[in-house]
Amino acid sequence: MRRLTENIKIAFRSLFLNKTRSFLTMLGIIIGVGAVVAMLSIGTGAQDSVISSVQDIGSNLIIITPGNPEEGDQVMGPQMMFAGDTAELDEEDVRAIERDAELITEVSPVVFGSAVVSYLNRNTQPQVFGSNEKGMQLYNVELEKGKFYSKGDVSSSANITVIGQTVVKKLFNNIEPVGKIIKINGQNFRVIGTLKSRGTDSFGNDQDNIITIPVTTVQTKLYGSSSYDMILTQSISEESIDEATEEIKDILRRSRDIRIGEKNDFSVRSQTQILDIISTITNIFTVVIAGIASISLLVGGIGIMNIMLVSVTERTREIGIRKAIGATNRDILIQFLVESIVLSITGGIFGILFAVLISVIINNFTVLETSISTFPILIALSFSTVVGLFFGIYPAMRAARLNPIDALRYE
Amino acid sequence: MDNDGFIIKIRKMKKIYSIGRISVPALKGIDLDIKSGELIAVMGPSGSGKSTLMNIIGVLDTPTSGSYFLDGVDVGKVKDNELAVIRNKKIGFVFQTFNLLSRVNLFGNVELPLIYSRERLRDKKQKILEAIDSVGLTDWIRHKPNELSGGEKQRVAIARALVNQPSIILADEPTGNLDSRTGEEIMGIFQRLNREGKTIVVVTHEMAIARHTRRIIFLKDGRISGQEMVGNQLSAEEILEKMPKLDDVI
Ligand SMILES: Nc1ncnc2c1ncn2[C@@H]1O[C@H](COP(=O)(O)OP(=O)(O)OP(=O)(O)O)[C@@H](O)[C@H]1O
Ligand SMILES: [Mg+2]
């Protein structure tokens, strides 16, 4: 133990004696570890916020969309969830689910769009979210003021709307919005409530720049279509979410007359499945990072091996002296091994500091959120230790095998 | 093993160096016995094999053939690791070129044998300070070797050789790089250590140095060509007293 601390002291001494050389040697490790920890912190940051915004949508949520990319080609990413354009979803489907499904609570059709909204001389262009009276509840959006539209409002296609905070700010600016008449694509709508702020999502989109309108009104008066972009529903419990998904598939196959052996022309996904897709994507990301990491650590390791070989040659006489005085081969081996490990761990620590710096910069100057966790740091440190050990062993063995007499003679 | 009071027993020892296809016989059959507590000089012309012999006695090197018993142990049968232990515990080596670690201060250099000592040492610091004190360098303890004179460096090397309390001290031309007064001082230290019971072998070119010992072995061409018991052994202390100091001359 005492000899180990002695070896660590020796290692740091020779590290400091050749500061520039040590730094250049460590550069490979610094960049490798730094890049990996920084990228992982960006990755986990993004993953965390994507997951939390998916979870924000509402618990036990099941999303039904038209088309079926999954059974054709593999799903590649979240953007594909809304792809596929063959069959449409309509009122029939909603009714079938409402009538037959037992494992779900609420159902709401949804239509997305955008519209020009104005009040007096101000105007803005928010997202339009058309749903029935359950839509907001399914989507986990809460009211700030006023009320939500009712079942009656939906069946009568009333010209009413509930607006998000960004729209409130842009149109009303200190005036009370509830009760006012605004124009949406040129038609009069009454504001009956406002939504609580939800901030931005993981992609930097403003989630408050939204207005919500009864889906029937959106279909008949704004866009003139009879189909839905998706149907939202909710399973009765977290445990039954997979069963509920299957139940909905069965109901829709029956109501849409899909024969046995034919593919679904719709997709049913639960929140858990969406999270699975996200984790598949982030796993690919992780593998790519691991690849970059191993290449840079390899390069860094070769640098360390090179400098350690130089160091062994330079210090041949020192090795001879130590051996003449009673150092065993093992003592010398450990001395040089400790030195290369100290070199690579120091590089690793600098790399981590470098990554923290990058991540702080990214956090403050971009929309991306980063989060540095202990896991990549531990991984980085243990990998740099392994690199030091692996690439240090050959030079250290060369040093250990030196014959004391020859080493003492070395000029 | 009975060693008859001989701490070093060498029989028919040969050492042949081979450089590529050329082989250089450095020792051609040496028989040598050294008693515990002896003070011996080895003399001989350059290339006669003095350093080769010393390196083998100090188990830094191994003979090509023949036997070497050190303190009753057949060194030829000892493994590498244990040779390191013997070098550490039983032998203190002093080189002509000092061989100090230049990056380490005086204390660190003297500490070195204790770092590699396999025994648990309590009073380690005390031992180092004593060794440094015994060569009179206490004031220089935090200095690095390049801040010292040749004679001081050699005294550091002696302190290092002493610190682990070995029974044998081997010095290969310890005064070769020093002026006669400093050389005399070094021999004074060896004579004192010898009185304290250490076995000491000194290689030298100078008869004046050799006459400080009790027995002189003459090497020539890889063989012992003769030996001489020193009649009136010189005392370094007395010589130093008589020697004019540099201050007096100027
Ligand atoms: N490592 C070696 N490889 C090859 N030959 C060597 C080696 N060491 C010594 N020799 C040869 O062995 C012979 C004896 O060398 P050694 O160094 O023992 O002489 P020495 O008596 O110490 O001489 P000096 O007084 O000059 O120090 C010489 O001929 C030398 O060239
Ligand atoms: Mg010699």
Side-chain angles (χ1 to χ4, degrees):
Chain A
M1 198 58 217
R2 196 190 294 148
R3 233 171 310 159
L4 185 66
T5 50
E6 185 64 29
N7 276 324
I8 292 171
K9 251 191 344 203
I10 294 170
F12 273 108
R13 195 156 48 209
S14 71
L15 216 119
F16 275 107
L17 226 76
N18 303 301
K19 280 189 211 71
T20 318
R21 189 169 93 181
S22 308
F23 177 74
L24 291 175
T25 307
M26 290 186 296
L27 212 53
I29 303 275
I30 294 176
I31 292 171
V33 167
V36 170
V37 174
M39 285 175 87
L40 282 180
S41 82
I42 296 165
T44 29
Q47 189 181 4
D48 287 352
S49 63
V50 169
I51 287 174
S52 80
S53 63
V54 170
Q55 282 165 343
D56 270 356
I57 292 171
S59 53
N60 308 341
L61 194 71
I62 295 170
I63 299 167
I64 304 148
T65 49
N68 190 353
E70 206 169 69
E71 295 198 3
D73 297 309
Q74 267 295 299
V75 180
M76 287 308 293
Q79 74 278 9
M80 298 288 283
M81 291 190 301
F82 305 111
D85 50 6
T86 43
E88 297 179 331
L89 293 171
D90 58 23
E91 233 184 310
E92 284 292 311
D93 300 306
V94 177
R95 233 176 273 139
I97 295 169
E98 276 175 335
R99 191 183 56 226
D100 296 336
E102 286 172 355
L103 296 170
I104 61 160
T105 53
E106 315 291 0
V107 183
S108 171
V110 175
V111 174
F112 293 110
S114 78
V116 178
V117 180
S118 58
Y119 178 70
L120 302 177
N121 57 347
R122 294 161 174 263
N123 59 67
T124 180
Q125 194 166 0
Q127 294 272 303
V128 173
F129 181 82
S131 71
N132 70 11
E133 70 283 358
K134 309 287 192 217
M136 285 290 99
Q137 176 196 339
L138 285 167
Y139 224 73
N140 249 8
V141 186
E142 286 170 58
L143 267 181
E144 187 210 32
K145 261 185 218 155
K147 59 183 170 80
F148 214 66
Y149 40 82
S150 66
K151 195 168 183 174
D153 294 330
V154 175
S155 49
S156 67
S157 310
N159 278 21
I160 51 178
T161 179
V162 180
I163 61 177
Q165 286 303 320
T166 303
V167 181
V168 171
K169 249 175 255 149
K170 283 195 175 148
L171 293 186
F172 292 99
N173 188 31
N174 290 336
I175 306 168
E176 171 57 51
V178 176
K180 299 288 184 301
I181 303 292
I182 60 174
K183 282 203 186 309
I184 300 176
N185 279 5
Q187 300 174 51
N188 286 339
F189 279 74
R190 179 189 300 277
V191 178
I192 59 163
T194 58
L195 300 171
K196 272 191 186 161
S197 175
R198 302 182 65 189
T200 53
D201 70 11
S202 49
F203 306 105
N205 299 321
D206 179 5
Q207 298 189 87
D208 297 325
N209 192 20
I210 192 171
I211 59 172
T212 166
I213 299 173
V215 63
T216 46
T217 315
V218 174
Q219 283 184 315
T220 56
K221 297 180 179 168
L222 289 182
Y223 302 138
S225 83
S226 62
S227 65
Y228 302 129
D229 291 319
M230 64 185 197
I231 298 170
L232 291 179
T233 177
Q234 198 175 31
S235 73
I236 49 170
S237 71
E238 215 177 309
E239 294 76 49
S240 61
I241 197 154
D242 288 336
E243 268 178 89
T245 309
E246 289 310 310
E247 185 184 38
I248 291 166
K249 279 184 188 164
D250 287 344
I251 292 167
L252 288 180
R253 283 183 73 91
R254 241 182 294 129
S255 77
R256 295 168 77 91
D257 283 331
I258 299 169
R259 287 192 213 118
I260 295 168
E262 272 179 58
K263 286 183 195 166
N264 290 346
D265 58 357
F266 59 89
S267 342
V268 182
R269 286 196 193 84
S270 65
Q271 207 198 72
T272 26
Q273 285 172 310
I274 293 168
L275 290 176
D276 282 349
I277 293 170
I278 292 170
S279 81
T280 312
I281 295 164
T282 51
N283 284 346
I284 295 169
F285 185 66
T286 311
V287 169
V288 171
I289 287 181
I292 297 168
S294 32
I295 291 169
S296 56
L297 286 179
L298 183 78
V299 173
I302 292 170
I304 284 182
M305 177 149 80
N306 180 40
I307 224 67
M308 287 311 294
L309 286 171
V310 172
S311 179
V312 168
T313 312
E314 276 179 353
R315 286 152 71 192
T316 303
R317 226 179 141 80
E318 175 191 327
I319 295 164
I321 294 170
R322 289 180 184 276
K323 285 195 148 185
I325 266 153
T328 58
N329 290 1
R330 202 163 149 264
D331 289 327
I332 302 295
L333 183 89
I334 289 171
Q335 180 189 332
F336 281 88
L337 218 46
V338 166
E339 192 165 320
S340 70
I341 292 172
V342 162
L343 200 62
S344 65
I345 290 186
T346 310
I349 290 170
F350 277 127
I352 289 165
L353 295 179
F354 177 57
V356 170
L357 191 76
I358 288 179
S359 128
V360 167
I361 290 172
I362 286 176
N363 236 343
N364 290 330
F365 297 101
T366 72
V367 292
L368 289 175
E369 270 183 42
T370 59
S371 93
I372 289 218
S373 53
T374 40
F375 180 68
I377 289 180
L378 289 181
I379 289 284
L381 279 183
S382 40
F383 266 96
S384 40
T385 312
V386 170
V387 165
L389 196 69
F390 183 79
F391 289 98
I393 197 112
Y394 173 67
M397 262 161 55
R398 281 252 294 241
R401 285 208 199 111
L402 281 175
N403 173 296
I405 286 294
D406 294 341
L408 279 173
R409 266 168 196 272
Y410 187 83
E411 292 298 327
Chain B
M1 173 96 205
D2 180 20
N3 56 7
D4 327 320
F6 289 110
I7 194 163
I8 290 166
K9 260 182 130 168
I10 289 170
R11 292 288 175 274
K12 293 182 184 152
M13 180 187 282
K14 289 185 182 166
K15 176 71 184 180
I16 299 165
Y17 290 110
S18 36
I19 316 162
R21 287 162 66 204
I22 310 163
S23 49
V24 184
L27 298 176
K28 300 172 179 169
I30 302 279
D31 294 298
L32 180 63
D33 292 328
I34 297 175
K35 277 203 187 98
S36 181
E38 264 195 284
L39 176 56
I40 288 192
V42 177
M43 294 193 75
S46 191
S48 56
K50 304 183 295 291
S51 294
T52 306
L53 179 62
M54 289 293 268
N55 291 340
I56 293 173
I57 294 176
V59 299
L60 280 167
D61 210 349
T62 46
T64 312
S65 66
S67 68
Y68 171 26
F69 284 87
L70 174 65
D71 220 357
V73 177
D74 185 353
V75 175
K77 290 185 178 140
V78 171
K79 289 194 203 93
D80 255 15
N81 268 348
E82 288 156 48
L83 289 181
V85 176
I86 292 175
R87 285 199 287 272
N88 185 252
K89 261 178 38 181
K90 293 207 168 155
I91 292 161
F93 222 109
V94 178
F95 304 89
Q96 178 176 1
T97 50
F98 322 124
N99 279 333
L100 301 173
L101 295 184
S102 55
R103 302 164 171 190
V104 182
N105 67 19
L106 200 158
F107 185 92
N109 266 288
V110 176
E111 182 186 21
L112 215 52
L114 300 183
I115 289 172
Y116 296 114
S117 168
R118 254 121 271 261
E119 283 150 40
R120 282 217 145 276
L121 295 168
R122 286 248 188 81
D123 46 355
K124 190 175 135 186
K125 197 172 173 196
Q126 187 59 34
K127 278 186 162 175
I128 298 165
L129 295 178
E130 273 171 23
I132 292 171
D133 186 53
S134 76
V135 295
L137 285 176
T138 308
D139 293 341
W140 296 88
I141 205 155
R142 296 290 157 208
H143 290 254
K144 299 228 169 121
N146 59 5
E147 298 158 18
L148 304 178
S149 71
E152 285 158 349
K153 282 184 201 169
Q154 198 57 295
R155 273 143 67 188
V156 177
I158 294 172
R160 182 179 67 187
L162 286 176
V163 73
N164 217 3
Q165 285 156 348
S167 42
I168 303 169
I169 291 185
L170 303 173
D172 192 354
E173 299 194 44
T175 62
N177 283 354
L178 307 176
D179 64 36
S180 58
R181 184 184 172 85
T182 319
E184 210 51 64
E185 283 169 4
I186 298 296
M187 287 316 290
I189 295 173
F190 285 140
Q191 288 186 325
R192 195 188 73 224
L193 292 170
N194 179 245
R195 279 197 298 276
E196 289 164 9
K198 303 240 183 274
T199 310
I200 300 178
V201 184
V202 181
V203 169
T204 180
H205 277 307
E206 300 164 68
M207 199 37 126
I209 292 291
R211 299 201 71 82
H212 288 74
T213 69
R214 232 167 276 144
R215 180 157 70 119
I216 307 176
I217 309 282
F218 295 100
L219 270 189
K220 202 185 168 198
D221 203 15
R223 290 198 174 85
I224 293 179
S225 60
Q227 63 167 310
E228 181 194 323
M229 300 307 291
V230 179
N232 46 346
Q233 200 184 349
L234 299 177
S235 157
E237 267 172 50
E238 285 169 19
I239 295 173
L240 279 170
E241 244 165 58
K242 283 182 212 148
M243 241 186 207
K245 291 210 175 92
L246 207 53
D247 307 359
D248 304 339
V249 182
I250 293 171

